[in-house]
Amino acid sequence: MGALTDKYCIVGVGETPHMRPSNRTTLSMACEAVKKAMADAGLEPRDVDGMTSYQAGDSTTSNHVATSLGMRLNYSVDIFGGGSSTEALIGNTIGLLEAGYCKTMVIFRSMNGRSGRRMGGQAPSGPVPPTRAAEDNQFMMPWGWTSPAQRFGMSAMRYLRDTGTTTKSLAEIAVAHRYHASLNPKAVMRHPITIDDHQNSRWVVKPLRLLDCCLETDVSACLIVTSRERAYDLRQPPVFIMGGTGRTMAPNSAWNYSRPEIHYVAGNYGRNRLFGMAGISQKDVNLISCYDAFTFTTLIQLEAYGFCGKGEAGEFVKGGRLQIDHELPSNLSGGHLSEGYTHGVSMVIENVRQLRHRADDACPGWAEGTHSYDRQAGCRQVKDARIAACLGWGTETMSSSAILRGIAA
Amino acid sequence: MPGPIDYSKITITPDFDTVEWWMGTKEHKYLVRQCKDCGHKWFPPFPACNKCNSMDLDWFETAGTGVLHSYIVVTQPILGAFVEAVPYVVGLIELDDCHEADGSLVRVGGVMLDDEEDVAIGLPVTVEFEQTNEANIVVPRWKISGTADNTWKFSE
């Protein structure tokens, strides 16, 4: 176990509805998400003295959010990045709280991911100004190889070739996450899908189909972290941070493609640190969030983090193993594939709600932790949820993670 | 063969680390970086040798041949420049003459001149330089150049 295991807790979560479009500024959405997270925790603006966020030149800053909400911060910083940032910032936060830079910290992401800046470029249907190819993009964009689907697709194709996995395994992930979204009133895509629906959906970039790709939505999402001592005084059952990693890299991180195996991803280099710090093994984990920018990113991280052997993920996901009431339920909110797109925060939020036994589902008593566990009636609370692994993804060569536990674990 | 690519819709801005590479394409040279101290080769042209940390660097002119290591087939264009080009294949090419004794190698991307039906992992490929509709830009394209055993094609 790590020296700081269980010393810091996630005490508040909140988010805006997933919209397409929001017709709001990222500042306005961030203020709402932070307010909701404070209300969830039972905190006032004066109780928060640290704030951090991540963005890609597409969002507001901690400075503006704190000013709007009347906070005076003792620590604030906004970093560059997308996926893999959430868990990395949880790590930063633990260090800052431990060092005494601040006492209670907000982590947020706010993005008009559909109506504002979209990942990888512009849609061909819209106006198409010249696109600047600079830095490492000089050797991808001019070859029409720029969007995340196009980039990760190259590794996915080689993975299929090297392991004999078929796209039916990718379909299993799309089906599982959509099933969970069907139990989540907040999710954008709620109608259940089948393996055949996946196989019949149109190609985006082979080997990835439409139903392999996440949604793009406008949203802000927020976590609040503080010490265990403060957490016990707050409104919700605390969720303890057992361990984590922050943007762990594979070798040659800035150019995945000259590595011996382009699908031997960064989680392989982080998993022993993660489970070592948390003091548990994969078998102790009751549920996961496994970053689903694409079905493939979930698939490959299952083996990277040791939930199955190398090259075995295609078999591992079969038979609904990732669905609720099965062995390793994944992305209980529906994830980025089916709930909406937050660059990772929403997956951690869902794990927090699950570990509190307060998944915000159709059960009338969910806010008090009363669940029916009747999936037909719309309950999505995992029974006996005690430990959750959050497996963030930035690229093949960059991954962050966290292991959380609820009060009963 | 894929449709035309409109390079007027991409602004390529070489920087101090890459300008000589882009000048090389105009002379139909496919360059990679090479360390003057230890001989290591790499691409893209990051400004230091990641084996010995030397910053005393040279360029190595490759033969422009390799083996297709992976590929994607883009059916939905993201960039305006590629709206007329779809469907096109982006290949990941493992260069023949950049293998080193410790297993280090160089793979580069590029748009294939071949259609999806003719592409398979494991096939040999060769570079062809293409003058674009922008006077200043010559891009390397890649073409299947032969046959091989144990090739692999994506099947739906």
Side-chain angles (χ1 to χ4, degrees):
Chain A
M1 270 173 54
L4 303 181
T5 294
D6 293 347
K7 194 170 173 185
Y8 295 96
C9 299
I10 299 175
V11 295
V13 298
E15 72 272 79
T16 61
H18 291 274
M19 303 294 282
R20 301 183 293 181
S22 68
N23 294 318
R24 298 174 68 182
T25 62
T26 55
L27 173 59
S28 168
M29 291 192 297
C31 287
E32 180 184 333
V34 174
K35 281 181 63 171
K36 285 179 169 171
M38 287 192 296
D40 179 59
L43 290 165
E44 298 293 328
R46 64 174 175 274
D47 301 322
V48 172
D49 67 343
M51 191 178 293
T52 190
S53 76
Y54 58 98
Q55 58 159 291
D58 59 357
S59 188
T60 188
T61 65
S62 294
N63 187 25
H64 288 82
V65 175
T67 297
S68 299
L69 296 177
M71 297 170 177
R72 194 201 62 77
L73 302 177
N74 289 316
Y75 182 91
S76 68
V77 73
D78 303 310
I79 66 163
F80 180 87
S84 81
S85 302
T86 313
E87 295 87 354
L89 285 180
I90 289 173
N92 287 15
T93 296
I94 290 172
L96 291 161
L97 297 175
E98 179 73 12
Y101 278 65
C102 54
K103 292 187 166 70
T104 298
M105 185 105 161
V106 158
I107 301 170
F108 79 88
R109 173 76 169 114
S110 187
M111 59 196 291
N112 280 318
R114 179 63 180 81
S115 68
R117 177 170 166 177
R118 301 176 69 182
M119 296 293 287
Q122 301 254 349
S125 54
V128 186
T131 307
R132 187 168 177 266
E135 297 175 350
D136 51 340
N137 231 351
Q138 280 175 62
F139 305 105
M140 298 188 84
M141 189 180 283
W143 333 139
W145 182 29
T146 178
S147 73
Q150 293 165 357
R151 294 177 57 151
F152 306 153
M154 193 69 84
S155 303
M157 185 71 93
R158 183 72 194 193
Y159 180 86
L160 299 180
R161 182 263 183 202
D162 287 351
T163 63
T165 303
T166 72
T167 62
K168 286 208 168 77
S169 291
L170 300 179
E172 293 273 359
I173 294 165
V175 168
H177 293 187
R178 180 62 64 85
Y179 175 49
H180 299 154
S182 76
L183 305 172
N184 178 5
K186 306 184 301 296
V188 170
M189 303 297 280
R190 297 193 63 195
H191 58 279
I193 55 171
T194 63
I195 302 279
D196 283 345
D197 290 336
H198 169 276
Q199 296 282 299
N200 292 328
S201 67
R202 68 176 167 83
W203 294 109
V204 172
V205 46
K206 292 181 187 179
L208 301 176
R209 298 173 170 91
L210 182 68
L211 292 179
D212 289 306
C213 301
C214 71
L215 307 172
E216 294 174 297
T217 54
D218 299 351
V219 67
S220 179
C222 173
L223 306 168
I224 301 179
V225 178
T226 194
S227 68
R228 178 175 55 206
E229 289 75 16
R230 286 188 189 82
Y232 283 128
D233 293 333
L234 297 178
R235 193 166 155 254
Q236 297 287 354
V239 169
F240 299 87
I241 302 160
M242 301 181 76
T245 60
R247 288 195 189 165
T248 301
M249 290 181 182
N252 283 332
S253 184
W255 188 250
N256 177 50
Y257 306 100
S258 293
R259 299 190 305 122
E261 279 191 305
I262 60 177
H263 49 73
Y264 190 73
V265 298
N268 288 286
Y269 299 87
R271 70 166 178 256
N272 288 343
R273 302 182 72 87
L274 171 67
F275 285 99
M277 194 187 301
I280 63 161
S281 79
Q282 287 85 348
K283 287 188 171 54
D284 299 314
V285 172
N286 305 117
L287 66 146
I288 60 172
S289 56
C290 195
Y291 198 96
D292 57 351
F294 304 95
T295 52
F296 173 69
T297 60
T298 296
L299 185 84
I300 195 70
Q301 292 221 117
L302 290 170
E303 55 186 71
Y305 281 97
F307 289 93
C308 60
K310 188 168 181 284
E312 296 174 0
E315 285 302 310
F316 183 80
V317 298
K318 287 183 180 167
R321 193 186 298 244
L322 301 184
Q323 294 184 24
I324 194 166
D325 298 325
H326 289 69
E327 186 180 325
L328 191 66
S330 166
N331 295 38
L332 275 301
S333 68
H336 288 0
L337 288 175
S338 288
E339 184 192 32
Y341 187 51
T342 65
H343 275 160
V345 186
S346 55
M347 298 178 195
V348 178
I349 288 178
E350 175 67 13
N351 288 349
V352 168
R353 291 187 172 127
Q354 289 284 342
L355 294 173
R356 293 171 174 173
H357 286 254
R358 282 159 174 78
D360 48 350
D361 55 19
C363 295
W366 69 260
E368 291 78 44
T370 307
H371 287 279
S372 68
Y373 307 106
D374 180 353
R375 311 309 170 199
Q376 299 296 325
C379 177
R380 79 165 194 287
Q381 176 64 50
V382 174
K383 210 170 183 178
D384 300 324
R386 291 172 290 112
I387 295 180
C390 314
L391 310 175
W393 163 282
T395 64
E396 293 94 332
T397 56
M398 188 179 289
S399 179
S400 304
S401 62
I403 291 180
L404 310 177
R405 74 170 177 88
I407 196 134
Chain B
M1 184 171 167
I5 302 165
D6 183 359
Y7 278 87
S8 71
K9 291 180 173 163
I10 295 180
T11 308
I12 297 175
T13 49
D15 56 40
F16 294 120
D17 294 330
T18 66
V19 63
E20 291 167 301
W21 190 89
W22 285 103
M23 286 165 58
T25 65
K26 290 184 203 170
E27 298 168 11
H28 292 199
K29 293 176 179 175
Y30 201 102
L31 302 176
V32 298
R33 265 295 187 202
Q34 183 164 32
C35 176
K36 281 186 178 173
D37 287 330
C38 76
H40 178 47
K41 297 169 188 155
W42 68 92
F43 186 85
F46 297 117
C49 173
N50 73 5
K51 279 194 182 171
C52 75
N53 284 190
S54 171
M55 295 182 78
D56 190 9
L57 309 181
D58 210 341
W59 294 96
F60 172 78
E61 184 182 344
T62 73
T65 61
V67 174
L68 194 67
H69 185 77
S70 189
Y71 64 95
I72 55 172
V73 186
V74 179
T75 56
Q76 176 178 328
I78 300 295
L79 302 174
F82 289 85
V83 168
E84 302 294 322
V86 290
Y88 62 93
V89 178
V90 182
L92 182 64
I93 293 98
E94 187 168 304
L95 296 176
D96 285 334
D97 47 7
C98 295
H99 290 274
E100 294 169 38
D102 65 355
S104 138
L105 50 83
V106 176
R107 299 195 197 103
V108 302
V111 187
M112 303 295 296
L113 289 161
D114 310 270
D115 290 323
E116 177 186 1
E117 300 75 58
D118 302 317
V119 166
I121 288 177
L123 286 174
V125 293
T126 188
V127 74
E128 288 192 14
F129 290 92
E130 182 176 277
Q131 175 61 52
T132 70
N133 59 335
E134 290 287 285
N136 257 337
I137 304 176
V138 173
V139 296
R141 301 282 296 264
W142 296 86
K143 190 167 177 46
I144 301 293
S145 59
T147 58
D149 297 330
N150 299 319
T151 60
W152 183 91
K153 283 174 83 73
F154 178 63
S155 63
E156 300 170 14

